[in-house]
């Protein structure tokens, strides 16, 4: 069974940093693109970034370029999102998802950016 | 960027009704279209991929159709557990984009 477990969320001040993790199991992690998606409170879904099987390609939405970095460790079957220079508008539940078509999702982790 | 426009944004229906939700892309996306269901407080769940393929384990009352710029999600006979928010997603080109969502409520 595919399992994705998101962690690392919390309360951070504007301008601060946070690193999210996603632990994957139940499938061959190194065969899949992986993605991050977020959802601000009461709002719709927003794709954030994704990364190719081997980490050689990454893509992200313009609003996080230069601030967020997606990475992966295939040996640890884990996905990461390093978030720097956080802003109030980054407050959201962050989900990791498998594939470019988001075929399986983690449970999400809440990031709150507030002073 | 490709804009995905869902309609309606919200609707109410009764158990047993047939419901159709539409998603229009601002440019052609072939069949790189998926549909998701999200219940309150839960992670989204994929229902349909490649515009018309049913995700394993999803009830057959859900179906998808379309190609190019216009797509539909149909629920043939609404069940109580289907009252949720539905999103379309295009992954034909970057940035990957979602529709704004359709909230389906009980009449």
């Amino acid at each position: 069974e595919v399992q994705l477990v998101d962690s690392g969320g919390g309360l951070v001040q504007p301008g601060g940093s946070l690193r999210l993790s996603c632990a994957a199991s139940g499938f061959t992690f190194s065969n899949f693109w992986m993605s991050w998606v977020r959802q601000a409170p009461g709002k719709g879904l927003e794709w954030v970034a994704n990364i190719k099987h081997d980490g050689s390609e990454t893509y992200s939405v313009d609003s996080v370029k230069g601030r967020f970095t997606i990475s992966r460790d295939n040996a640890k079957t884990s996905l990461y999102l390093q978030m720097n220079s956080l802003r109030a508008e980054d407050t959201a539940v962050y989900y990791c998802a498998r594939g470019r078509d988001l075929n399986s999702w983690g449970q999400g982790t809440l990031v709150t950016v507030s002073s | 960027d490709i804009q995905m426009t869902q309609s309606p944004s919200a609707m109410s229906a009764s158990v047993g009704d047939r419901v159709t939700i539409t998603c229009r892309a601002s440019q052609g996306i072939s069949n790189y279209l998926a549909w998701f269901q999200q219940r309150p407080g839960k992670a989204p769940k994929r229902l349909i991929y490649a515009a018309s393929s049913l995700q394993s384990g999803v009830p057959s009352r859900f179906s998808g159709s379309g190609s190019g710029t216009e797509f539909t999600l149909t629920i043939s006979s609404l069940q109580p557990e289907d009252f949720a928010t539905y999103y379309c997603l295009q992954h034909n080109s970057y940035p990957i984009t979602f529709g704004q969502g359709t909230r389906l409520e009980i009449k």
Side-chain angles (χ1 to χ4, degrees):
Chain A
E1 179 194 359
V2 174
Q3 191 166 13
L4 299 169
V5 179
D6 302 315
S7 62
L11 174 63
V12 61
Q13 292 188 339
S17 298
L18 212 53
R19 188 197 197 205
L20 306 184
S21 299
C22 170
S25 60
F27 64 101
T28 304
F29 182 75
S30 58
N31 286 354
F32 287 85
W33 284 74
M34 294 295 295
S35 304
W36 286 101
V37 176
R38 67 183 178 183
Q39 186 169 37
K43 302 297 185 184
L45 300 169
E46 180 184 35
W47 172 80
V48 174
N50 66 12
I51 183 167
K52 196 176 179 180
H53 321 78
D54 59 359
S56 61
E57 295 178 32
T58 64
Y59 300 89
S60 60
V61 68
D62 281 351
S63 60
V64 308
K65 279 189 169 78
R67 300 189 300 124
F68 291 11
T69 302
I70 187 172
S71 63
R72 64 192 296 160
D73 185 333
N74 286 345
K76 295 183 178 179
T77 65
S78 292
L79 177 72
Y80 306 102
L81 187 67
Q82 177 67 43
M83 304 186 296
N84 299 330
S85 303
L86 281 160
R87 306 167 180 166
E89 55 265 35
D90 296 318
T91 294
V93 174
Y94 285 73
Y95 298 97
C96 72
R98 189 179 73 166
R100 281 177 287 188
D101 59 354
L102 315 180
N103 52 72
S104 295
W105 295 60
Q107 86 287 0
T109 187
L110 176 62
V111 172
T112 303
V113 184
S114 174
S115 54
Chain B
D1 298 5
I2 296 177
Q3 309 302 319
M4 303 300 291
T5 304
Q6 280 183 241
S7 59
S9 296
M11 64 183 300
S12 58
S14 301
V15 172
D17 283 354
R18 180 183 181 89
V19 164
T20 298
I21 299 168
T22 298
C23 186
R24 288 188 174 87
S26 60
Q27 60 192 80
I29 59 170
S30 184
N31 69 336
Y32 291 97
L33 190 285
W35 289 98
F36 297 83
Q37 177 193 68
Q38 187 178 32
R39 297 189 177 108
K42 299 295 187 182
K45 170 187 170 184
R46 193 174 73 167
L47 303 174
I48 301 287
Y49 63 97
S52 60
S53 295
L54 189 67
Q55 180 77 22
S56 176
V58 173
S60 59
R61 63 181 180 273
F62 291 93
S63 64
S65 65
S67 183
T69 61
E70 187 151 340
F71 302 86
T72 59
L73 172 70
T74 299
I75 309 172
S76 60
S77 177
L78 273 174
Q79 299 302 300
E81 61 268 29
D82 299 337
F83 292 94
T85 300
Y86 294 84
Y87 295 92
C88 61
L89 167 88
Q90 72 80 20
H91 56 100
N92 178 75
S93 62
Y94 291 105
I96 292 170
T97 47
F98 287 92
Q100 81 278 15
T102 295
R103 183 185 301 175
L104 179 53
E105 300 173 330
I106 300 174
K107 185 182 287 184

